[in-house]
Amino acid sequence: MAAEASTPTTLFSGAWIVARREIRDQFRDWRVLAPILLLTLFFPLLMNFTASQAVDFVGRYGAPIIGERLIPFLLMVVGFFPISISIVIALESFAGERERQTLEPLLATPLSDGQLYLGKTAASLVPPLAAAYLGITVYLIGLLVKVQWVPSAQLLIQILSLTTIQAMVMVSGAVVISSLTTSVRAANLLASFIIIPVAMLIMGESMIMFWGLYHILWWIVLALMLIAIVLTRMGLRLFNREELLARELDVLDLRGTGRRFWSSFLSGARNPLEWYGGLFSKSLKRIRFPILITSAILLTGFFVGYKQADVFRLPTEIFDVNALDKDWLEILREFGMLTPSGVVKILWANIRAFILATILGIFTFGVLAEILLMAPLMITGYFAGSLTQAGQGAFQYITALVLPHAILEVPAAILAGAAILQLGMAAISLPKGSSLGEGWTTSLAEWARISIGIVLPLLIAAAFLEVFLTPRIAVWLLSGS
Amino acid sequence: MSSIEAKSLCKMFGTFTAVDDVSLHVKPGEILALLGPNGAGKTTTIRMLASILKPTSGSAKIAGYDIAHDQVAVRSVVGLLTEQHGLYTRMRAAEYLDFFGSVYGIDSSTIQQRTRTLLGEYKLLESAELRLGQYSKGMRQKLALVRALLHEPQILLLDEPTSAMDPESAHHVRSSIVELRSADRAIIVCTHNLFEAEALADRIAIIRRGKIIANDSPDDLKRKMVGDPVMELRLACSVDGALKHLPEGIVEIASGVNWVRYSTSQPEVINPKTLSSLANAGIPVVTLSRVERSLEEVYLQVVREDDSQEGVVDGR
């Protein structure tokens, strides 16, 4: 019979126990306290001084609008500076404990992965956020006293939301890094993956605020919220007690990675026939959800494009599909399109788009890849819509100019998009217990299997059809000759 | 029923096999010493049993819970003393124990009461106001042991429990470990200290290159590895006339002017016979004592055998 086991009951109670200890510990460390106090008390007062001086100065030269825009901008800066400390605390969270050899007793407790992870995240968030709110309060009180400026409720909520969500994004990203590295030094080096995008974001926000386009800040808040959710999920998936404890060195094991890739690429096949069979029986099954998502996205793209024809109208006279006659074929031939070199040109264009989509997809969880692949469908939809506007048959147009090769090209795009989506999402959909490297290598092998086995052959065939068949069908169907 | 039951545990890190086919059984109230050199796989075995590392293959049950599937439950019934003390150096003892007590879901009054008792027992009450960073190595190790005991675990896994201690503290901790057995706890002590293994353990499992190469009680290990117990008989006269009075079944190993050493597989039968036979013959006996063979001899013999044949001696 099993003995009675006792543990903290809920996810949040356990997480709070971890967070509370860490927060107390941070407040005993002058290296954390000193910058927080400095940024909370001294810096807002400095910004007050800067704001009042700037308002006076620009007022003298008849440009009060600069002062008006500067004050909210400084409000954002006052909030941002203290939260920049959160990244330091978060980077230290797991890697630091590992370095100080305090991690093993903690990992040996009944705390769940989620409780440990969220506890560490909360501990990195709470003190810098409290400092940020305090700093904002000090700044606002100073402004009220000096220049009698009070922010609108909307601006205040926007700045508080931005400050909070930016801290969440930085902390969730830094905790992911900290849990994946073996030393604080390695974590600090990898922190540039967070610092550089956040610095660019702050520059963008500054421009938006000086431009006075405050409503855009809401979209930034929304986008950052999604990123924070994705990063938190990614961190929870990647959190691995074994990796944290057993990994001694951050070494690049190229041979091991190569072996894993090759083994996943072959997927147990002993000959090309088995490999091809496995491609349809295993790989396509594994990416069935990404296939559904990509299909839905491409279809949506077509209809969005179709609807845009109502908004952005083209002159109807440019649509004379009946002008597609044998002369048109001659023009195409002159451009080398009805020859094998035309096949190569089209194929190369498609492969380039596929490679670009893959690169973008890797860094954006597949999102930009889907958008890129959606673009041709949107354009097709837009022309179909415009043809309908012009009284020409969209169905006829699609059947003649698109369908003959799209019958292969669209499935290729769907499968390519699905494989990229799977690859991009690898970091947040890892099998529990797999490391990021393992999961990513396996997904890359799956991407390579689908690309080489299905997408590439489909694109080659589609390029042949597009060069040799589609123009003839178009002429035959649209001009009747 | 065993409190700790491991079957064919294996752990691989990449292509390196850290633990290879380890099977262990520890009953309630029993202490098993996992004895081996550094890098033998002791810590990895302990970490698997504590559900921190997942075995590559094999299985284990800790107090009835499966280490691979009931990880949270396993961790809540195990008290783990890690090789590194792992204390938060800015905290004080009571605060530190309060944190770990909360993690184990113990209410605060019970934590306070156990903290007082355990700190007193391990002579740490006087230093309760110091930050843990100010503790000596031995004090840190003792506090880490207190941490492992705070939730009164049924299973104790102790990785090098006296490694940083002075002789007095080490003696104290060893005595405590022996006492801990009385509450029906199953205890595994990892050590490379032969003296400690012999002093503490009911059974010793020698682990080398990730494999258990011997597993038995210290006495049985000695008997198996270095032969029957050896007795030394000292007389008040010359041994020349006395040898013929010694009972049958003993093997004379060495002798001097007034002493003789013999080995026997049944000292409890042979020794009384020897004394009675010598007394009947009027030969005065000064002492009859057992010649202690060190565990070191056993260990070196096991290692030599492992090197030559990679055989496994298992008394179970």
Short mmCIF file of all heavy atoms in Angstrom, two decimals, chain A residues 326-361:
data_model
loop_
_atom_site.label_atom_id
_atom_site.label_comp_id
_atom_site.label_asym_id
_atom_site.label_seq_id
_atom_site.Cartn_x
_atom_site.Cartn_y
_atom_site.Cartn_z
N LYS A 326 -3.85 33.68 -79.25
CA LYS A 326 -2.56 33.06 -79.56
C LYS A 326 -1.40 34.05 -79.52
O LYS A 326 -0.26 33.67 -79.28
CB LYS A 326 -2.64 32.35 -80.91
CG LYS A 326 -3.44 31.06 -80.76
CD LYS A 326 -3.54 30.29 -82.03
CE LYS A 326 -4.32 29.00 -81.77
NZ LYS A 326 -4.74 28.36 -83.01
N ASP A 327 -1.73 35.36 -79.73
CA ASP A 327 -0.66 36.37 -79.64
C ASP A 327 -0.09 36.41 -78.22
O ASP A 327 1.08 36.64 -78.00
CB ASP A 327 -1.21 37.76 -79.98
CG ASP A 327 -1.56 37.83 -81.46
OD1 ASP A 327 -1.08 36.94 -82.19
OD2 ASP A 327 -2.32 38.74 -81.83
N TRP A 328 -1.00 36.21 -77.30
CA TRP A 328 -0.59 36.22 -75.89
C TRP A 328 0.40 35.08 -75.63
O TRP A 328 1.38 35.25 -74.92
CB TRP A 328 -1.86 36.06 -75.03
CG TRP A 328 -1.59 36.04 -73.55
CD1 TRP A 328 -1.07 37.04 -72.81
CD2 TRP A 328 -1.80 34.95 -72.66
NE1 TRP A 328 -0.95 36.67 -71.51
CE2 TRP A 328 -1.41 35.38 -71.38
CE3 TRP A 328 -2.33 33.67 -72.81
CZ2 TRP A 328 -1.51 34.57 -70.25
CZ3 TRP A 328 -2.42 32.86 -71.68
CH2 TRP A 328 -2.01 33.31 -70.43
N LEU A 329 0.15 33.95 -76.27
CA LEU A 329 1.09 32.82 -76.15
C LEU A 329 2.46 33.20 -76.70
O LEU A 329 3.49 32.83 -76.14
CB LEU A 329 0.57 31.59 -76.88
CG LEU A 329 -0.63 30.87 -76.24
CD1 LEU A 329 -1.04 29.66 -77.09
CD2 LEU A 329 -0.30 30.40 -74.83
N GLU A 330 2.43 33.96 -77.80
CA GLU A 330 3.70 34.39 -78.41
C GLU A 330 4.47 35.29 -77.45
O GLU A 330 5.68 35.17 -77.27
CB GLU A 330 3.45 35.14 -79.72
CG GLU A 330 3.13 34.22 -80.90
CD GLU A 330 4.16 33.10 -81.06
OE1 GLU A 330 5.37 33.39 -81.05
OE2 GLU A 330 3.73 31.93 -81.14
N ILE A 331 3.70 36.19 -76.79
CA ILE A 331 4.36 37.09 -75.82
C ILE A 331 5.00 36.28 -74.71
O ILE A 331 6.14 36.50 -74.31
CB ILE A 331 3.33 38.11 -75.25
CG1 ILE A 331 2.81 39.01 -76.37
CG2 ILE A 331 3.94 38.95 -74.12
CD1 ILE A 331 1.58 39.82 -76.02
N LEU A 332 4.24 35.30 -74.25
CA LEU A 332 4.78 34.45 -73.17
C LEU A 332 6.03 33.72 -73.63
O LEU A 332 7.00 33.60 -72.89
CB LEU A 332 3.72 33.42 -72.73
CG LEU A 332 2.56 33.94 -71.88
CD1 LEU A 332 1.59 32.80 -71.56
CD2 LEU A 332 3.05 34.57 -70.59
N ARG A 333 5.99 33.28 -74.90
CA ARG A 333 7.15 32.52 -75.44
C ARG A 333 8.38 33.43 -75.49
O ARG A 333 9.49 33.01 -75.18
CB ARG A 333 6.81 31.97 -76.82
CG ARG A 333 7.82 30.92 -77.29
CD ARG A 333 7.38 30.20 -78.54
NE ARG A 333 6.37 29.18 -78.27
CZ ARG A 333 5.14 29.16 -78.77
NH1 ARG A 333 4.76 30.15 -79.57
NH2 ARG A 333 4.30 28.22 -78.49
N GLU A 334 8.11 34.71 -75.88
CA GLU A 334 9.23 35.66 -75.94
C GLU A 334 9.90 35.85 -74.58
O GLU A 334 11.10 36.04 -74.47
CB GLU A 334 8.73 37.03 -76.43
CG GLU A 334 8.70 37.11 -77.94
CD GLU A 334 8.06 38.41 -78.40
OE1 GLU A 334 8.20 39.43 -77.69
OE2 GLU A 334 7.38 38.39 -79.44
N PHE A 335 9.11 35.76 -73.54
CA PHE A 335 9.66 35.88 -72.17
C PHE A 335 10.22 34.55 -71.67
O PHE A 335 10.60 34.44 -70.51
CB PHE A 335 8.58 36.39 -71.20
CG PHE A 335 8.37 37.87 -71.28
CD1 PHE A 335 7.32 38.41 -72.02
CD2 PHE A 335 9.26 38.74 -70.66
CE1 PHE A 335 7.15 39.78 -72.09
CE2 PHE A 335 9.09 40.11 -70.73
CZ PHE A 335 8.03 40.64 -71.45
N GLY A 336 10.23 33.55 -72.55
CA GLY A 336 10.80 32.24 -72.20
C GLY A 336 9.90 31.42 -71.32
O GLY A 336 10.36 30.50 -70.64
N MET A 337 8.59 31.77 -71.31
CA MET A 337 7.72 31.07 -70.39
C MET A 337 7.17 29.75 -70.93
O MET A 337 6.71 28.93 -70.17
CB MET A 337 6.54 31.97 -69.97
CG MET A 337 6.95 33.12 -69.08
SD MET A 337 7.91 32.62 -67.63
CE MET A 337 6.63 31.86 -66.66
N LEU A 338 7.17 29.55 -72.19
CA LEU A 338 6.62 28.29 -72.71
C LEU A 338 7.73 27.29 -73.01
O LEU A 338 7.59 26.42 -73.87
CB LEU A 338 5.77 28.57 -73.95
CG LEU A 338 4.50 29.38 -73.67
CD1 LEU A 338 3.81 29.77 -74.97
CD2 LEU A 338 3.55 28.61 -72.79
N THR A 339 8.84 27.47 -72.34
CA THR A 339 10.01 26.61 -72.56
C THR A 339 10.45 26.00 -71.23
O THR A 339 10.00 26.45 -70.17
CB THR A 339 11.18 27.45 -73.11
OG1 THR A 339 11.50 28.44 -72.11
CG2 THR A 339 10.83 28.13 -74.42
N PRO A 340 11.33 25.00 -71.26
CA PRO A 340 11.83 24.42 -70.01
C PRO A 340 12.45 25.47 -69.07
O PRO A 340 12.37 25.35 -67.86
CB PRO A 340 12.87 23.41 -70.47
CG PRO A 340 12.41 22.99 -71.82
CD PRO A 340 11.80 24.22 -72.44
N SER A 341 13.05 26.52 -69.65
CA SER A 341 13.63 27.54 -68.76
C SER A 341 12.52 28.25 -67.98
O SER A 341 12.74 28.69 -66.84
CB SER A 341 14.46 28.55 -69.56
OG SER A 341 13.61 29.40 -70.30
N GLY A 342 11.35 28.33 -68.54
CA GLY A 342 10.20 28.90 -67.82
C GLY A 342 9.84 28.04 -66.61
O GLY A 342 9.50 28.56 -65.53
N VAL A 343 9.96 26.72 -66.80
CA VAL A 343 9.69 25.79 -65.68
C VAL A 343 10.66 26.08 -64.54
O VAL A 343 10.28 26.20 -63.37
CB VAL A 343 9.83 24.32 -66.15
CG1 VAL A 343 9.66 23.37 -64.97
CG2 VAL A 343 8.83 24.00 -67.24
N VAL A 344 11.94 26.23 -64.94
CA VAL A 344 12.97 26.48 -63.92
C VAL A 344 12.69 27.79 -63.20
O VAL A 344 12.78 27.88 -61.96
CB VAL A 344 14.38 26.48 -64.56
CG1 VAL A 344 15.45 26.87 -63.54
CG2 VAL A 344 14.69 25.12 -65.16
N LYS A 345 12.31 28.83 -63.97
CA LYS A 345 12.05 30.15 -63.37
C LYS A 345 10.92 30.06 -62.34
O LYS A 345 11.02 30.57 -61.22
CB LYS A 345 11.68 31.17 -64.44
CG LYS A 345 12.88 31.76 -65.14
CD LYS A 345 12.43 32.75 -66.19
CE LYS A 345 13.60 33.08 -67.12
NZ LYS A 345 13.14 33.73 -68.35
N ILE A 346 9.83 29.42 -62.76
CA ILE A 346 8.67 29.33 -61.85
C ILE A 346 9.01 28.48 -60.63
O ILE A 346 8.69 28.84 -59.49
CB ILE A 346 7.45 28.76 -62.62
CG1 ILE A 346 6.93 29.83 -63.57
CG2 ILE A 346 6.35 28.31 -61.66
CD1 ILE A 346 5.84 29.38 -64.48
N LEU A 347 9.68 27.36 -60.88
CA LEU A 347 10.04 26.48 -59.78
C LEU A 347 10.95 27.21 -58.79
O LEU A 347 10.74 27.15 -57.57
CB LEU A 347 10.75 25.23 -60.32
CG LEU A 347 11.15 24.19 -59.27
CD1 LEU A 347 9.93 23.63 -58.56
CD2 LEU A 347 11.94 23.04 -59.92
N TRP A 348 11.93 27.94 -59.32
CA TRP A 348 12.86 28.65 -58.45
C TRP A 348 12.15 29.72 -57.63
O TRP A 348 12.41 29.90 -56.44
CB TRP A 348 14.00 29.23 -59.28
CG TRP A 348 15.02 30.03 -58.50
CD1 TRP A 348 15.47 31.27 -58.78
CD2 TRP A 348 15.70 29.62 -57.30
NE1 TRP A 348 16.38 31.67 -57.85
CE2 TRP A 348 16.54 30.67 -56.91
CE3 TRP A 348 15.66 28.47 -56.52
CZ2 TRP A 348 17.35 30.62 -55.79
CZ3 TRP A 348 16.47 28.42 -55.39
CH2 TRP A 348 17.30 29.48 -55.04
N ALA A 349 11.20 30.41 -58.26
CA ALA A 349 10.42 31.43 -57.53
C ALA A 349 9.65 30.78 -56.38
O ALA A 349 9.62 31.30 -55.24
CB ALA A 349 9.46 32.13 -58.48
N ASN A 350 9.05 29.62 -56.67
CA ASN A 350 8.27 28.94 -55.62
C ASN A 350 9.17 28.42 -54.49
O ASN A 350 8.83 28.50 -53.32
CB ASN A 350 7.48 27.77 -56.22
CG ASN A 350 6.26 28.28 -56.99
OD1 ASN A 350 5.79 29.39 -56.76
ND2 ASN A 350 5.77 27.48 -57.93
N ILE A 351 10.34 27.88 -54.90
CA ILE A 351 11.26 27.35 -53.88
C ILE A 351 11.78 28.49 -53.00
O ILE A 351 11.85 28.37 -51.78
CB ILE A 351 12.42 26.58 -54.54
CG1 ILE A 351 11.90 25.24 -55.09
CG2 ILE A 351 13.56 26.32 -53.55
CD1 ILE A 351 12.91 24.44 -55.88
N ARG A 352 12.08 29.63 -53.62
CA ARG A 352 12.56 30.78 -52.84
C ARG A 352 11.50 31.21 -51.82
O ARG A 352 11.81 31.49 -50.66
CB ARG A 352 12.88 31.96 -53.77
CG ARG A 352 14.33 31.98 -54.20
CD ARG A 352 14.63 33.22 -54.96
NE ARG A 352 13.64 33.46 -56.01
CZ ARG A 352 13.72 34.42 -56.92
NH1 ARG A 352 14.74 35.23 -56.91
NH2 ARG A 352 12.79 34.56 -57.84
N ALA A 353 10.25 31.25 -52.30
CA ALA A 353 9.16 31.64 -51.40
C ALA A 353 9.04 30.64 -50.25
O ALA A 353 8.82 31.01 -49.09
CB ALA A 353 7.84 31.71 -52.17
N PHE A 354 9.22 29.37 -50.58
CA PHE A 354 9.12 28.32 -49.57
C PHE A 354 10.24 28.44 -48.54
O PHE A 354 10.01 28.34 -47.32
CB PHE A 354 9.16 26.96 -50.28
CG PHE A 354 9.07 25.77 -49.36
CD1 PHE A 354 8.13 25.73 -48.33
CD2 PHE A 354 9.91 24.68 -49.52
CE1 PHE A 354 8.03 24.64 -47.49
CE2 PHE A 354 9.82 23.58 -48.67
CZ PHE A 354 8.88 23.57 -47.66
N ILE A 355 11.46 28.71 -49.04
CA ILE A 355 12.60 28.86 -48.11
C ILE A 355 12.40 30.08 -47.22
O ILE A 355 12.59 30.03 -46.00
CB ILE A 355 13.93 28.96 -48.90
CG1 ILE A 355 14.24 27.61 -49.56
CG2 ILE A 355 15.09 29.38 -48.00
CD1 ILE A 355 15.39 27.65 -50.56
N LEU A 356 11.96 31.18 -47.85
CA LEU A 356 11.73 32.40 -47.07
C LEU A 356 10.65 32.16 -46.00
O LEU A 356 10.80 32.57 -44.84
CB LEU A 356 11.30 33.54 -48.01
CG LEU A 356 11.06 34.89 -47.35
CD1 LEU A 356 12.37 35.43 -46.76
CD2 LEU A 356 10.50 35.90 -48.35
N ALA A 357 9.59 31.46 -46.42
CA ALA A 357 8.51 31.17 -45.46
C ALA A 357 9.04 30.31 -44.31
O ALA A 357 8.67 30.51 -43.15
CB ALA A 357 7.37 30.44 -46.18
N THR A 358 9.92 29.38 -44.64
CA THR A 358 10.47 28.51 -43.58
C THR A 358 11.29 29.33 -42.60
O THR A 358 11.13 29.21 -41.38
CB THR A 358 11.36 27.40 -44.20
OG1 THR A 358 10.57 26.67 -45.14
CG2 THR A 358 11.88 26.45 -43.14
N ILE A 359 12.16 30.20 -43.13
CA ILE A 359 13.01 31.01 -42.25
C ILE A 359 12.14 31.91 -41.36
O ILE A 359 12.34 31.98 -40.14
CB ILE A 359 14.01 31.84 -43.08
CG1 ILE A 359 15.01 30.90 -43.78
CG2 ILE A 359 14.76 32.84 -42.21
CD1 ILE A 359 15.85 31.55 -44.86
N LEU A 360 11.16 32.56 -41.99
CA LEU A 360 10.28 33.44 -41.20
C LEU A 360 9.49 32.62 -40.18
O LEU A 360 9.30 33.05 -39.04
CB LEU A 360 9.32 34.20 -42.12
CG LEU A 360 9.96 35.25 -43.03
CD1 LEU A 360 8.92 35.81 -44.00
CD2 LEU A 360 10.54 36.40 -42.19
N GLY A 361 9.05 31.45 -40.62
CA GLY A 361 8.23 30.60 -39.74
C GLY A 361 8.97 30.12 -38.52
O GLY A 361 8.40 30.04 -37.42
#
